[in-house]
Amino acid sequence: MRSRFSISNYSNLAQRVITALIGAAVIIGSTIFSEWAYFFVFAILLGFTQMEFYKLSGLDGMLPLKSFGTFVGLLIFAFTFLEEMKIIPIAYYFLVFPLLSMIFFIKLYRKSDKKPFTGIAYTILGIFYVAIPFSLLTVAAFSVDNTFHFEIVIGSLLILWASDSGAYFAGTKFGKTKLFERVSPKKSWEGSLGGAFTAIVVTYFISKNFTVLPEWQWFCIMTIIIIAGTYGDLIESLFKRSIAIKDSGKGLPGHGGFMDRFDGLLLSTPFIVAFLKIF
C-alpha cells in the first residue's frame, strides 16, 4: 500500500514543483555553505547522472563499464576540485590517462562482450558527456581570483532553471510552432521564447546581486545557457529517441531522471568556462 504522504499521490505538476524546491534547496544551500559541501553534493549528482547514462546505453544493447567509467568520472571531478583548491598539483591529472587505458584492458578479458569497442566508446563517451562538464563547473566557480565563488555556480543554475521552467510553462500554455519536431515533437518556439524571457528577468536580478561578475558577463552567460541549454535538451531527446524511451529515469519525480534535469548544464558549462577564461 502506498504511503498517504507519498509524492506519487500528487499530480505530475505538483511532483515537479516539490522535487524542484527540495533539489534547489539542497544544491543552493550546500554550495553557499562551503566548498566541501558543494563538492560532495555535486559528486553525488555526477555519480547518479553518469550511471544513468550508462544504464540507458545498456538498453540499446551497449555494454559500457558502468562502475569503472563512473569511478574515473568521479576521480576527474575530485582532481579538478582539489587542484583548484591548491591541495594537489595539476600533475595528478596524468593519472587519468592510464585509467582511461585500463578500459581497453578490462574489455579484453570480457569474453561475453561481442562488440567490445562499442562498449569502450560508450564508456569514454559517458566520461566526456557527463563527468567533464561537471568538473568544468568547478573550474567556473574558481575562475575569478582563483577563489571559490558560489555566486557563479548558483547564478548559472538559476538562469538554467529559469529558462527550463519558462520554456515548460510557456510551451504547455502557448506551444504551437514546433522547434525541432523530428527530435522532440513537444518542444516549441513559443516555449523557447518563454524560457528566454524568464531567463532575462532572472539574469537581471542576478547581475544586481551577484557582483562577482560584471553585468555584461552575466548576460553573455545567459545567452550561452539559452542556446547551448536548448541544444543540450534536444541532444538528450535525440539520445532517448534512439532507444525509444520517454524519460531518462525515475529518480526525480515529475522530472524524470537526472539526465533530464542536467542535460542543459552538460552542454552549457564547457562554453561558460571557455568564455570566463578568455574574457
Side-chain angles (χ1 to χ4, degrees):
M1 180 179 290
R2 289 182 177 177
S3 170
R4 183 180 178 183
F5 301 102
S6 172
I7 192 172
S8 61
N9 293 333
Y10 295 92
S11 67
N12 183 266
L13 178 59
Q15 291 181 39
R16 189 180 184 91
V17 172
I18 293 170
T19 303
L21 290 175
I22 294 173
V26 171
I27 291 173
I28 293 174
S30 61
T31 304
I32 293 175
F33 184 73
S34 73
E35 299 96 322
W36 287 101
Y38 156 83
F39 170 75
F40 285 115
V41 167
F42 274 82
I44 292 170
L45 293 174
L46 163 58
F48 279 122
T49 306
Q50 195 168 346
M51 285 294 287
E52 190 173 86
F53 172 81
Y54 289 141
K55 180 181 178 181
L56 294 178
S57 301
L59 295 177
D60 202 29
M62 311 304 170
L63 294 173
L65 299 175
K66 300 181 182 68
S67 299
F68 188 77
T70 304
F71 167 72
V72 175
L74 288 169
L75 203 61
I76 293 172
F77 181 74
F79 283 167
T80 304
F81 177 79
L82 295 173
E83 194 279 326
E84 293 289 345
M85 289 281 287
K86 306 306 177 188
I87 294 175
I88 63 171
I90 197 170
Y92 275 81
Y93 268 113
F94 286 96
L95 290 172
V96 172
F97 299 107
L99 285 171
L100 289 174
S101 299
M102 286 291 293
I103 296 171
F104 293 89
F105 300 155
I106 295 170
K107 278 293 184 180
L108 182 65
Y109 289 93
R110 292 287 179 91
K111 297 179 181 180
S112 60
D113 196 343
K114 295 181 180 180
K115 295 183 178 180
F117 273 84
T118 305
I120 290 169
Y122 271 82
T123 302
I124 295 174
L125 177 60
I127 294 169
F128 276 89
Y129 182 43
V130 181
I132 297 298
F134 269 88
S135 301
L136 288 175
L137 186 63
T138 300
V139 176
F142 284 88
S143 62
V144 179
D145 302 326
N146 294 318
T147 303
F148 181 78
H149 289 283
F150 68 83
E151 299 95 334
I152 296 176
V153 176
I154 292 175
S156 298
L157 289 174
L158 287 175
I159 295 170
L160 178 64
W161 294 338
S163 178
D164 285 348
S165 299
Y168 174 80
F169 288 108
T172 302
K173 183 72 174 178
F174 306 107
K176 292 181 179 179
T177 311
K178 302 301 181 183
L179 176 66
F180 211 121
E181 189 171 8
R182 177 175 63 86
V183 173
S184 184
K186 290 185 178 181
K187 290 181 176 58
S188 65
W189 279 104
E190 291 82 0
S192 294
L193 291 173
F197 175 76
T198 310
I200 290 171
V201 174
V202 170
T203 302
Y204 173 78
F205 286 103
I206 288 173
S207 67
K208 297 301 180 184
N209 292 279
F210 290 170
T211 55
V212 63
L213 295 176
E215 186 173 324
W216 71 272
Q217 285 192 335
W218 278 121
F219 278 93
C220 286
I221 289 174
M222 177 206 72
T223 304
I224 291 170
I225 289 173
I226 290 173
I227 297 173
T230 299
Y231 274 106
D233 197 1
L234 289 171
I235 288 168
E236 203 230 341
S237 294
L238 180 64
F239 176 52
K240 291 188 294 185
R241 193 176 184 85
S242 69
I243 53 180
I245 62 169
K246 180 178 182 294
D247 296 321
S248 66
K250 299 180 180 179
L252 300 172
H255 294 267
F258 287 88
M259 285 188 64
D260 291 318
R261 210 52 284 146
F262 293 103
D263 51 8
L265 177 71
L266 299 181
L267 254 68
S268 298
T269 306
F271 291 95
I272 293 172
V273 171
F275 167 73
L276 289 175
K277 286 293 185 180
I278 293 172
F279 296 101

